[in-house]
């Protein structure tokens, strides 16, 4: 059993809109299909199924989105699941991982952040082994290939190379516009092509920043009862 403090720390709420259906990228469709199948294999107890998956790609390509989607899908299939960020784990004691191997499907985001931390590298290596012993599954993301992560624990490098490995490609501008419009429609908003392209051309092109700006516009639109037009975007986000 996990300690009470760990259980409290690991009660992470997944974003409702970060599921497979909202990850709109034709160039990454094969990766999404492989991830979906990997989650489905969690339901299977066959020992010959891969139990580990390493997903890498540049910052902003959607790794966190897909980890959230995988975790949500595992829960849909009746499995226990948790999705954790190494950024948050580094603020805690390594004891937070105690007993985590009892969870069917575990996601660890941004493993590159532990590159300079020997204690956490050892702790995640130990967790890796315990997960495999339990015949459970582990999905880990990073911003580089395993060999370029800069991990100083050779055993952890070895483990990350054991299972499936896929690279996410950056979204094209067209895919980003489509994704923004999809997110807007889920909020009951209508985001025109012109407005979406304006956001793309005036703001950081990272999807996380674009979606954060969409959240701000959504709240302002509700508060002021106005449609999201280019003048409205300029006014709310203070851009020209």
């Amino acid at each position: 059993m996990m300690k009470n403090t760990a259980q409290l720390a690991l009660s992470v709420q997944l974003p409702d809109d970060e599921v497979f259906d909202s990850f709109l990228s034709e160039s990454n469709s094969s990766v999404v299909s492989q991830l979906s199948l990997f989650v489905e294999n969690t339901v299977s107890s066959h020992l010959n199924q891969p139990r580990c998956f390493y997903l890498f790609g540049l910052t902003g390509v959607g790794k966190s989105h897909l980890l959230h989607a995988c975790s949500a899908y595992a829960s849909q299939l009746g499995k226990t699941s948790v999705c954790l960020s190494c950024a948050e784990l580094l603020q805690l004691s390594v004891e937070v991982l105690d007993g985590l191997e009892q969870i069917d499907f575990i996601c660890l985001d941004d493993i590159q952040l532990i590159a300079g931390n020997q204690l956490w590298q050892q702790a995640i290596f130990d967790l890796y082994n315990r997960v495999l012993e339990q015949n459970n599954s582990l999905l880990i993301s990073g911003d580089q290939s395993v060999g370029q992560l800069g991990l100083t624990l050779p055993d952890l490098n070895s483990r990350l190379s054991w299972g499936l490995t896929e690279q996410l490609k950056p979204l094209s501008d067209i895919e980003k516009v489509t994704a923004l419009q999809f997110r807007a429609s889920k909020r009951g908003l209508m985001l025109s092509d012109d407005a979406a392209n304006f956001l793309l051309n005036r703001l950081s092109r990272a999807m996380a920043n674009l979606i954060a700006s969409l959240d701000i516009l959504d709240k302002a639109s509700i508060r002021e009862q106005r449609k999201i037009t280019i003048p409205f975007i300029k006014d709310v986000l203070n851009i020209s």
Side-chain angles (χ1 to χ4, degrees):
M1 292 289 290
M2 281 189 288
K3 299 178 180 179
N4 288 337
T5 51
Q7 288 173 326
L8 286 172
L10 298 178
S11 58
V12 179
Q13 182 69 40
L14 293 174
D16 291 338
D17 56 357
E18 295 196 352
V19 294
F20 285 133
D21 285 348
S22 62
F23 191 81
L24 307 175
S25 171
E26 283 297 321
S27 55
N28 289 304
S29 59
S30 64
V31 178
V32 174
S33 295
Q34 284 199 56
L35 284 168
S36 177
L37 184 60
F38 178 67
V39 177
E40 289 165 10
N41 285 341
T42 303
V43 178
S44 168
S45 59
H46 295 305
L47 294 176
N48 61 344
Q49 299 285 2
R51 290 289 163 182
C52 307
F53 198 121
Y54 180 63
L55 179 70
F56 72 99
L58 299 174
T59 299
V61 297
K63 300 185 299 294
S64 298
H65 182 140
L66 286 176
L67 262 63
H68 293 152
C70 287
S71 186
Y73 188 34
S75 296
Q76 276 183 357
L77 295 176
K79 293 296 176 179
T80 53
S81 177
V82 68
C83 190
L84 304 169
S85 164
C86 286
E88 294 173 355
L89 288 178
L90 283 168
Q91 310 302 315
L92 305 169
S93 162
V94 292
E95 291 179 352
V96 77
L97 300 182
D98 291 352
L100 202 62
E101 68 277 1
Q102 302 299 329
I103 294 176
D104 299 318
F105 195 87
I106 303 161
C107 299
L108 292 177
D109 203 7
D110 289 328
I111 198 170
Q112 75 276 359
L113 297 177
I114 67 163
N117 192 312
Q118 194 71 16
L119 185 64
W120 268 103
Q121 288 180 61
Q122 185 66 50
I124 289 180
F125 169 71
D126 292 340
L127 172 65
Y128 215 112
N129 291 334
R130 298 197 307 270
V131 168
L132 292 179
E133 286 170 9
Q134 294 292 325
N135 201 28
N136 287 329
S137 299
L138 190 60
L139 169 60
I140 295 178
S141 80
D143 64 352
Q144 302 286 340
S145 64
V146 173
Q148 295 176 308
L149 281 171
L151 299 174
T152 51
L153 184 66
D155 287 341
L156 180 56
N157 269 315
S158 175
R159 286 292 184 274
L160 289 173
S161 303
W162 269 13
L164 301 168
T165 299
E166 285 293 344
Q167 180 177 11
L168 272 185
K169 299 170 185 171
L171 272 64
S172 68
D173 284 354
I174 291 173
E175 287 174 330
K176 288 178 182 180
V177 166
T178 302
L180 270 177
Q181 290 176 324
F182 180 85
R183 292 292 187 98
S185 69
K186 288 295 183 181
R187 291 165 168 80
L189 301 171
M190 204 288 286
L191 189 66
S192 68
D193 290 348
D194 286 345
N197 279 301
F198 181 82
L199 286 170
L200 201 64
N201 291 325
R202 296 297 194 279
L203 303 174
S204 160
R205 295 175 109 78
M207 279 306 300
N209 292 336
L210 290 168
I211 291 166
S213 297
L214 184 62
D215 289 337
I216 293 169
L217 291 168
D218 181 18
K219 291 182 177 70
S221 174
I222 293 169
R223 185 175 61 247
E224 300 183 28
Q225 294 294 296
R226 289 175 62 187
K227 293 180 180 179
I228 299 182
T229 59
I230 291 176
F232 182 67
I233 293 171
K234 288 180 176 179
D235 185 35
V236 172
L237 299 181
N238 195 27
I239 53 178
S240 56

Short mmCIF file of all heavy atoms in Angstrom, two decimals, residues 10-23 32 35-36 39 55 62-77 79-88 105-110 139-141 168 183 208 211:
data_model
loop_
_atom_site.label_atom_id
_atom_site.label_comp_id
_atom_site.label_asym_id
_atom_site.label_seq_id
_atom_site.Cartn_x
_atom_site.Cartn_y
_atom_site.Cartn_z
N LEU A 10 -0.39 12.07 -4.98
CA LEU A 10 -0.59 11.50 -6.31
C LEU A 10 -2.02 11.59 -6.81
O LEU A 10 -2.36 11.01 -7.83
CB LEU A 10 -0.15 10.03 -6.31
CG LEU A 10 1.33 9.79 -5.99
CD1 LEU A 10 1.65 8.31 -5.98
CD2 LEU A 10 2.23 10.51 -6.98
N SER A 11 -2.87 12.31 -6.09
CA SER A 11 -4.25 12.46 -6.55
C SER A 11 -4.31 13.57 -7.58
O SER A 11 -4.64 14.70 -7.29
CB SER A 11 -5.18 12.77 -5.37
OG SER A 11 -4.76 13.93 -4.71
N VAL A 12 -3.93 13.22 -8.80
CA VAL A 12 -3.79 14.21 -9.87
C VAL A 12 -5.03 14.20 -10.75
O VAL A 12 -5.47 13.16 -11.22
CB VAL A 12 -2.54 13.90 -10.73
CG1 VAL A 12 -2.39 14.91 -11.85
CG2 VAL A 12 -1.30 13.88 -9.85
N GLN A 13 -5.59 15.38 -11.00
CA GLN A 13 -6.76 15.51 -11.86
C GLN A 13 -6.32 15.70 -13.30
O GLN A 13 -5.52 16.58 -13.62
CB GLN A 13 -7.59 16.73 -11.41
CG GLN A 13 -8.87 16.93 -12.20
CD GLN A 13 -9.89 15.85 -11.93
OE1 GLN A 13 -10.06 15.42 -10.82
NE2 GLN A 13 -10.58 15.41 -12.98
N LEU A 14 -6.83 14.85 -14.19
CA LEU A 14 -6.47 14.97 -15.60
C LEU A 14 -7.33 16.04 -16.29
O LEU A 14 -8.50 16.20 -15.97
CB LEU A 14 -6.69 13.63 -16.32
CG LEU A 14 -5.78 12.47 -15.93
CD1 LEU A 14 -6.25 11.20 -16.62
CD2 LEU A 14 -4.34 12.77 -16.29
N PRO A 15 -6.74 16.78 -17.25
CA PRO A 15 -7.55 17.74 -18.02
C PRO A 15 -8.64 17.01 -18.82
O PRO A 15 -8.34 16.02 -19.50
CB PRO A 15 -6.53 18.39 -18.95
CG PRO A 15 -5.19 18.08 -18.37
CD PRO A 15 -5.34 16.77 -17.67
N ASP A 16 -9.87 17.48 -18.74
CA ASP A 16 -10.98 16.81 -19.42
C ASP A 16 -10.80 16.75 -20.93
O ASP A 16 -11.28 15.83 -21.58
CB ASP A 16 -12.30 17.52 -19.11
CG ASP A 16 -12.71 17.34 -17.65
OD1 ASP A 16 -12.24 16.37 -17.03
OD2 ASP A 16 -13.49 18.17 -17.16
N ASP A 17 -10.15 17.76 -21.50
CA ASP A 17 -10.09 17.85 -22.96
C ASP A 17 -8.81 17.27 -23.56
O ASP A 17 -8.59 17.37 -24.76
CB ASP A 17 -10.27 19.30 -23.41
CG ASP A 17 -9.25 20.25 -22.79
OD1 ASP A 17 -8.45 19.79 -21.95
OD2 ASP A 17 -9.26 21.44 -23.14
N GLU A 18 -7.96 16.66 -22.74
CA GLU A 18 -6.73 16.07 -23.28
C GLU A 18 -6.89 14.56 -23.40
O GLU A 18 -6.42 13.78 -22.59
CB GLU A 18 -5.52 16.48 -22.43
CG GLU A 18 -5.28 17.98 -22.50
CD GLU A 18 -3.91 18.42 -22.02
OE1 GLU A 18 -3.15 17.58 -21.49
OE2 GLU A 18 -3.60 19.60 -22.19
N VAL A 19 -7.60 14.19 -24.46
CA VAL A 19 -7.89 12.79 -24.77
C VAL A 19 -7.42 12.51 -26.20
O VAL A 19 -6.99 13.42 -26.92
CB VAL A 19 -9.40 12.49 -24.62
CG1 VAL A 19 -9.83 12.61 -23.16
CG2 VAL A 19 -10.23 13.41 -25.49
N PHE A 20 -7.50 11.25 -26.63
CA PHE A 20 -7.03 10.92 -27.98
C PHE A 20 -7.80 11.69 -29.05
O PHE A 20 -7.21 12.15 -30.04
CB PHE A 20 -7.17 9.41 -28.24
CG PHE A 20 -6.13 8.58 -27.54
CD1 PHE A 20 -6.49 7.45 -26.83
CD2 PHE A 20 -4.79 8.90 -27.61
CE1 PHE A 20 -5.53 6.66 -26.20
CE2 PHE A 20 -3.82 8.13 -26.99
CZ PHE A 20 -4.20 7.00 -26.28
N ASP A 21 -9.11 11.83 -28.88
CA ASP A 21 -9.93 12.47 -29.91
C ASP A 21 -9.56 13.94 -30.13
O ASP A 21 -9.83 14.49 -31.20
CB ASP A 21 -11.41 12.37 -29.54
CG ASP A 21 -11.96 10.97 -29.77
OD1 ASP A 21 -11.26 10.16 -30.40
OD2 ASP A 21 -13.08 10.69 -29.28
N SER A 22 -8.98 14.57 -29.13
CA SER A 22 -8.64 15.99 -29.27
C SER A 22 -7.19 16.19 -29.70
O SER A 22 -6.73 17.33 -29.82
CB SER A 22 -8.90 16.74 -27.96
OG SER A 22 -8.11 16.23 -26.91
N PHE A 23 -6.46 15.10 -29.93
CA PHE A 23 -5.09 15.23 -30.44
C PHE A 23 -5.15 15.11 -31.97
O PHE A 23 -5.15 14.01 -32.53
CB PHE A 23 -4.18 14.16 -29.84
CG PHE A 23 -2.71 14.40 -30.13
CD1 PHE A 23 -1.98 15.30 -29.36
CD2 PHE A 23 -2.08 13.75 -31.17
CE1 PHE A 23 -0.63 15.55 -29.64
CE2 PHE A 23 -0.73 13.98 -31.45
CZ PHE A 23 -0.02 14.88 -30.68
N VAL A 32 -0.06 7.73 -32.26
CA VAL A 32 -1.27 7.70 -31.43
C VAL A 32 -1.88 6.30 -31.45
O VAL A 32 -2.32 5.78 -30.41
CB VAL A 32 -2.29 8.75 -31.91
CG1 VAL A 32 -3.61 8.61 -31.16
CG2 VAL A 32 -1.72 10.16 -31.72
N LEU A 35 0.17 4.06 -29.22
CA LEU A 35 -0.10 4.35 -27.80
C LEU A 35 -1.43 3.75 -27.36
O LEU A 35 -1.53 3.17 -26.28
CB LEU A 35 -0.09 5.86 -27.57
CG LEU A 35 1.28 6.53 -27.53
CD1 LEU A 35 1.13 8.05 -27.60
CD2 LEU A 35 2.06 6.14 -26.28
N SER A 36 -2.44 3.90 -28.21
CA SER A 36 -3.75 3.34 -27.90
C SER A 36 -3.67 1.82 -27.73
O SER A 36 -4.22 1.25 -26.78
CB SER A 36 -4.73 3.70 -29.01
OG SER A 36 -5.99 3.13 -28.78
N VAL A 39 -1.96 0.88 -24.46
CA VAL A 39 -2.88 0.95 -23.32
C VAL A 39 -3.79 -0.28 -23.30
O VAL A 39 -4.02 -0.89 -22.24
CB VAL A 39 -3.73 2.24 -23.36
CG1 VAL A 39 -4.72 2.27 -22.20
CG2 VAL A 39 -2.84 3.48 -23.31
N LEU A 55 8.24 7.77 -25.04
CA LEU A 55 7.76 8.73 -26.04
C LEU A 55 8.58 10.00 -25.92
O LEU A 55 8.68 10.58 -24.84
CB LEU A 55 6.28 9.04 -25.77
CG LEU A 55 5.61 10.05 -26.69
CD1 LEU A 55 5.43 9.48 -28.09
CD2 LEU A 55 4.25 10.47 -26.13
N GLY A 62 3.13 17.96 -27.73
CA GLY A 62 1.92 17.28 -27.27
C GLY A 62 2.16 16.02 -26.45
O GLY A 62 1.24 15.21 -26.29
N LYS A 63 3.36 15.87 -25.91
CA LYS A 63 3.65 14.67 -25.11
C LYS A 63 2.75 14.58 -23.88
O LYS A 63 2.18 13.52 -23.59
CB LYS A 63 5.12 14.65 -24.68
CG LYS A 63 6.12 14.64 -25.84
CD LYS A 63 7.55 14.48 -25.36
CE LYS A 63 8.03 15.59 -24.46
NZ LYS A 63 8.11 16.90 -25.13
N SER A 64 2.62 15.68 -23.16
CA SER A 64 1.78 15.67 -21.95
C SER A 64 0.33 15.35 -22.29
O SER A 64 -0.34 14.59 -21.59
CB SER A 64 1.87 17.02 -21.23
OG SER A 64 3.20 17.28 -20.80
N HIS A 65 -0.15 15.93 -23.38
CA HIS A 65 -1.51 15.67 -23.85
C HIS A 65 -1.71 14.17 -24.04
O HIS A 65 -2.71 13.58 -23.56
CB HIS A 65 -1.74 16.41 -25.17
CG HIS A 65 -3.11 16.26 -25.75
ND1 HIS A 65 -3.79 17.31 -26.34
CD2 HIS A 65 -3.95 15.19 -25.84
CE1 HIS A 65 -4.97 16.89 -26.76
NE2 HIS A 65 -5.08 15.59 -26.48
N LEU A 66 -0.77 13.51 -24.71
CA LEU A 66 -0.91 12.09 -25.00
C LEU A 66 -0.76 11.22 -23.75
O LEU A 66 -1.41 10.18 -23.63
CB LEU A 66 0.07 11.66 -26.09
CG LEU A 66 -0.30 12.14 -27.49
CD1 LEU A 66 0.78 11.77 -28.50
CD2 LEU A 66 -1.65 11.55 -27.93
N LEU A 67 0.08 11.64 -22.81
CA LEU A 67 0.17 10.90 -21.55
C LEU A 67 -1.15 11.00 -20.79
O LEU A 67 -1.64 10.01 -20.23
CB LEU A 67 1.33 11.42 -20.69
CG LEU A 67 2.63 10.60 -20.79
CD1 LEU A 67 3.20 10.64 -22.20
CD2 LEU A 67 3.66 11.08 -19.78
N HIS A 68 -1.74 12.19 -20.78
CA HIS A 68 -3.05 12.35 -20.14
C HIS A 68 -4.10 11.49 -20.84
O HIS A 68 -4.95 10.87 -20.19
CB HIS A 68 -3.48 13.83 -20.18
CG HIS A 68 -2.63 14.73 -19.34
ND1 HIS A 68 -2.45 16.06 -19.63
CD2 HIS A 68 -1.89 14.48 -18.24
CE1 HIS A 68 -1.64 16.60 -18.74
NE2 HIS A 68 -1.29 15.67 -17.89
N ALA A 69 -4.03 11.48 -22.18
CA ALA A 69 -4.99 10.68 -22.96
C ALA A 69 -4.85 9.19 -22.65
O ALA A 69 -5.85 8.48 -22.50
CB ALA A 69 -4.78 10.94 -24.45
N CYS A 70 -3.61 8.72 -22.56
CA CYS A 70 -3.37 7.30 -22.26
C CYS A 70 -3.87 6.94 -20.87
O CYS A 70 -4.47 5.88 -20.66
CB CYS A 70 -1.88 6.99 -22.38
SG CYS A 70 -1.26 6.93 -24.08
N SER A 71 -3.61 7.82 -19.92
CA SER A 71 -4.05 7.57 -18.55
C SER A 71 -5.57 7.52 -18.47
O SER A 71 -6.15 6.64 -17.82
CB SER A 71 -3.50 8.66 -17.62
OG SER A 71 -3.78 8.38 -16.28
N ALA A 72 -6.22 8.45 -19.17
CA ALA A 72 -7.69 8.48 -19.19
C ALA A 72 -8.25 7.23 -19.86
O ALA A 72 -9.25 6.65 -19.40
CB ALA A 72 -8.17 9.73 -19.91
N TYR A 73 -7.61 6.79 -20.94
CA TYR A 73 -8.07 5.60 -21.67
C TYR A 73 -7.92 4.35 -20.80
O TYR A 73 -8.80 3.49 -20.77
CB TYR A 73 -7.28 5.47 -22.97
CG TYR A 73 -7.80 4.39 -23.90
CD1 TYR A 73 -9.16 4.10 -24.00
CD2 TYR A 73 -6.92 3.68 -24.72
CE1 TYR A 73 -9.62 3.11 -24.87
CE2 TYR A 73 -7.37 2.71 -25.59
CZ TYR A 73 -8.73 2.43 -25.66
OH TYR A 73 -9.18 1.46 -26.52
N ALA A 74 -6.81 4.25 -20.09
CA ALA A 74 -6.61 3.11 -19.19
C ALA A 74 -7.71 3.06 -18.13
O ALA A 74 -8.24 1.98 -17.82
CB ALA A 74 -5.24 3.19 -18.53
N SER A 75 -8.07 4.22 -17.61
CA SER A 75 -9.16 4.29 -16.62
C SER A 75 -10.48 3.85 -17.24
O SER A 75 -11.28 3.14 -16.62
CB SER A 75 -9.29 5.71 -16.06
OG SER A 75 -8.13 6.06 -15.34
N GLN A 76 -10.72 4.28 -18.49
CA GLN A 76 -11.94 3.88 -19.22
C GLN A 76 -12.02 2.37 -19.35
O GLN A 76 -13.11 1.78 -19.32
CB GLN A 76 -11.96 4.48 -20.63
CG GLN A 76 -12.49 5.89 -20.70
CD GLN A 76 -12.53 6.38 -22.14
OE1 GLN A 76 -12.12 5.69 -23.06
NE2 GLN A 76 -13.00 7.59 -22.32
N LEU A 77 -10.86 1.72 -19.51
CA LEU A 77 -10.82 0.28 -19.69
C LEU A 77 -10.87 -0.47 -18.36
O LEU A 77 -10.71 -1.69 -18.33
CB LEU A 77 -9.54 -0.11 -20.45
CG LEU A 77 -9.46 0.39 -21.90
CD1 LEU A 77 -8.11 0.03 -22.52
CD2 LEU A 77 -10.60 -0.17 -22.75
N LYS A 79 -8.87 0.06 -15.64
CA LYS A 79 -7.59 -0.12 -14.98
C LYS A 79 -7.26 1.08 -14.10
O LYS A 79 -7.67 2.20 -14.38
CB LYS A 79 -6.47 -0.32 -16.02
CG LYS A 79 -6.61 -1.62 -16.80
CD LYS A 79 -6.45 -2.82 -15.87
CE LYS A 79 -6.66 -4.14 -16.58
NZ LYS A 79 -6.48 -5.28 -15.67
N THR A 80 -6.52 0.83 -13.03
CA THR A 80 -6.03 1.95 -12.21
C THR A 80 -4.91 2.64 -12.98
O THR A 80 -4.12 2.00 -13.66
CB THR A 80 -5.51 1.46 -10.85
OG1 THR A 80 -4.53 0.43 -11.06
CG2 THR A 80 -6.64 0.92 -10.01
N SER A 81 -4.88 3.95 -12.89
CA SER A 81 -3.94 4.73 -13.69
C SER A 81 -3.55 6.01 -12.97
O SER A 81 -4.35 6.58 -12.23
CB SER A 81 -4.58 5.05 -15.04
OG SER A 81 -3.73 5.84 -15.83
N VAL A 82 -2.33 6.47 -13.21
CA VAL A 82 -1.89 7.74 -12.66
C VAL A 82 -0.92 8.38 -13.65
O VAL A 82 -0.19 7.69 -14.36
CB VAL A 82 -1.21 7.56 -11.28
CG1 VAL A 82 0.12 6.82 -11.40
CG2 VAL A 82 -1.03 8.88 -10.56
N CYS A 83 -0.98 9.70 -13.74
CA CYS A 83 -0.10 10.46 -14.64
C CYS A 83 0.63 11.50 -13.81
O CYS A 83 0.00 12.37 -13.18
CB CYS A 83 -0.92 11.12 -15.74
SG CYS A 83 0.08 11.83 -17.06
N LEU A 84 1.95 11.42 -13.78
CA LEU A 84 2.75 12.28 -12.92
C LEU A 84 3.80 13.04 -13.73
O LEU A 84 4.33 12.53 -14.71
CB LEU A 84 3.47 11.44 -11.86
CG LEU A 84 2.58 10.56 -10.99
CD1 LEU A 84 3.42 9.59 -10.19
CD2 LEU A 84 1.73 11.42 -10.07
N SER A 85 4.08 14.26 -13.30
CA SER A 85 5.10 15.08 -13.92
C SER A 85 6.37 15.05 -13.08
O SER A 85 6.31 15.24 -11.86
CB SER A 85 4.60 16.52 -14.06
OG SER A 85 5.68 17.39 -14.32
N CYS A 86 7.51 14.82 -13.71
CA CYS A 86 8.77 14.84 -12.98
C CYS A 86 9.04 16.22 -12.36
O CYS A 86 9.72 16.32 -11.34
CB CYS A 86 9.92 14.41 -13.88
SG CYS A 86 9.94 12.63 -14.23
N ALA A 87 8.50 17.26 -12.97
CA ALA A 87 8.65 18.61 -12.41
C ALA A 87 8.04 18.66 -11.01
O ALA A 87 8.60 19.29 -10.09
CB ALA A 87 7.98 19.63 -13.32
N GLU A 88 6.89 18.00 -10.83
CA GLU A 88 6.24 17.98 -9.51
C GLU A 88 6.91 16.97 -8.59
O GLU A 88 7.07 17.21 -7.40
CB GLU A 88 4.76 17.65 -9.68
CG GLU A 88 3.99 18.73 -10.43
CD GLU A 88 2.57 18.32 -10.75
OE1 GLU A 88 2.21 17.16 -10.48
OE2 GLU A 88 1.83 19.17 -11.28
N PHE A 105 -1.38 1.20 -14.73
CA PHE A 105 -0.82 2.00 -15.82
C PHE A 105 -0.26 3.31 -15.26
O PHE A 105 -1.00 4.13 -14.72
CB PHE A 105 -1.90 2.29 -16.88
CG PHE A 105 -1.35 2.78 -18.18
CD1 PHE A 105 -0.94 1.89 -19.17
CD2 PHE A 105 -1.23 4.14 -18.43
CE1 PHE A 105 -0.42 2.34 -20.38
CE2 PHE A 105 -0.72 4.61 -19.62
CZ PHE A 105 -0.31 3.70 -20.61
N ILE A 106 1.05 3.50 -15.41
CA ILE A 106 1.73 4.65 -14.82
C ILE A 106 2.35 5.49 -15.92
O ILE A 106 3.04 4.97 -16.80
CB ILE A 106 2.83 4.20 -13.84
CG1 ILE A 106 2.26 3.30 -12.75
CG2 ILE A 106 3.54 5.40 -13.22
CD1 ILE A 106 3.31 2.46 -12.06
N CYS A 107 2.11 6.80 -15.89
CA CYS A 107 2.72 7.73 -16.85
C CYS A 107 3.65 8.67 -16.09
O CYS A 107 3.26 9.25 -15.06
CB CYS A 107 1.66 8.56 -17.55
SG CYS A 107 0.47 7.60 -18.51
N LEU A 108 4.86 8.83 -16.60
CA LEU A 108 5.83 9.78 -16.03
C LEU A 108 6.24 10.76 -17.13
O LEU A 108 6.82 10.35 -18.14
CB LEU A 108 7.07 9.05 -15.50
CG LEU A 108 6.88 8.15 -14.28
CD1 LEU A 108 8.20 7.45 -13.95
CD2 LEU A 108 6.38 8.93 -13.09
N ASP A 109 5.96 12.02 -16.92
CA ASP A 109 6.20 13.05 -17.93
C ASP A 109 7.51 13.79 -17.66
O ASP A 109 7.85 14.07 -16.50
CB ASP A 109 5.02 14.04 -17.90
CG ASP A 109 4.86 14.80 -19.20
OD1 ASP A 109 5.55 14.48 -20.18
OD2 ASP A 109 4.00 15.71 -19.24
N ASP A 110 8.24 14.12 -18.73
CA ASP A 110 9.44 14.97 -18.67
C ASP A 110 10.58 14.36 -17.86
O ASP A 110 11.14 15.01 -16.96
CB ASP A 110 9.08 16.36 -18.11
CG ASP A 110 8.27 17.19 -19.08
OD1 ASP A 110 8.47 17.03 -20.29
OD2 ASP A 110 7.42 17.99 -18.62
N LEU A 139 4.58 4.26 -19.04
CA LEU A 139 4.76 5.15 -20.20
C LEU A 139 5.53 6.37 -19.73
O LEU A 139 5.11 7.05 -18.79
CB LEU A 139 3.39 5.55 -20.76
CG LEU A 139 3.36 6.67 -21.80
CD1 LEU A 139 4.16 6.31 -23.04
CD2 LEU A 139 1.91 7.00 -22.18
N ILE A 140 6.68 6.62 -20.35
CA ILE A 140 7.56 7.72 -19.94
C ILE A 140 7.81 8.64 -21.12
O ILE A 140 7.99 8.19 -22.25
CB ILE A 140 8.90 7.17 -19.41
CG1 ILE A 140 8.66 6.35 -18.12
CG2 ILE A 140 9.89 8.30 -19.12
CD1 ILE A 140 9.91 5.73 -17.53
N SER A 141 7.81 9.95 -20.86
CA SER A 141 8.12 10.91 -21.93
C SER A 141 9.38 11.69 -21.61
O SER A 141 9.76 11.88 -20.45
CB SER A 141 6.95 11.89 -22.13
OG SER A 141 6.99 12.91 -21.15
N LEU A 168 7.46 11.95 -31.38
CA LEU A 168 6.38 12.81 -31.85
C LEU A 168 6.94 13.92 -32.73
O LEU A 168 7.94 14.55 -32.37
CB LEU A 168 5.65 13.45 -30.67
CG LEU A 168 4.48 12.73 -30.01
CD1 LEU A 168 3.87 13.63 -28.95
CD2 LEU A 168 3.43 12.33 -31.03
N ARG A 183 -10.59 22.83 -29.79
CA ARG A 183 -10.67 23.17 -28.36
C ARG A 183 -11.71 24.25 -28.13
O ARG A 183 -12.45 24.21 -27.15
CB ARG A 183 -9.31 23.65 -27.85
CG ARG A 183 -8.22 22.59 -27.81
CD ARG A 183 -8.49 21.53 -26.76
NE ARG A 183 -7.37 20.63 -26.62
CZ ARG A 183 -6.44 20.71 -25.68
NH1 ARG A 183 -6.49 21.67 -24.78
NH2 ARG A 183 -5.48 19.83 -25.61
N ALA A 208 0.79 24.63 -25.81
CA ALA A 208 0.42 24.90 -24.41
C ALA A 208 0.12 26.39 -24.21
O ALA A 208 -0.84 26.76 -23.53
CB ALA A 208 1.54 24.45 -23.47
N ILE A 211 -3.20 27.34 -26.09
CA ILE A 211 -4.38 26.88 -25.37
C ILE A 211 -4.60 27.71 -24.11
O ILE A 211 -5.74 28.02 -23.75
CB ILE A 211 -4.26 25.38 -25.05
CG1 ILE A 211 -4.36 24.58 -26.35
CG2 ILE A 211 -5.34 24.93 -24.07
CD1 ILE A 211 -3.94 23.14 -26.24
#
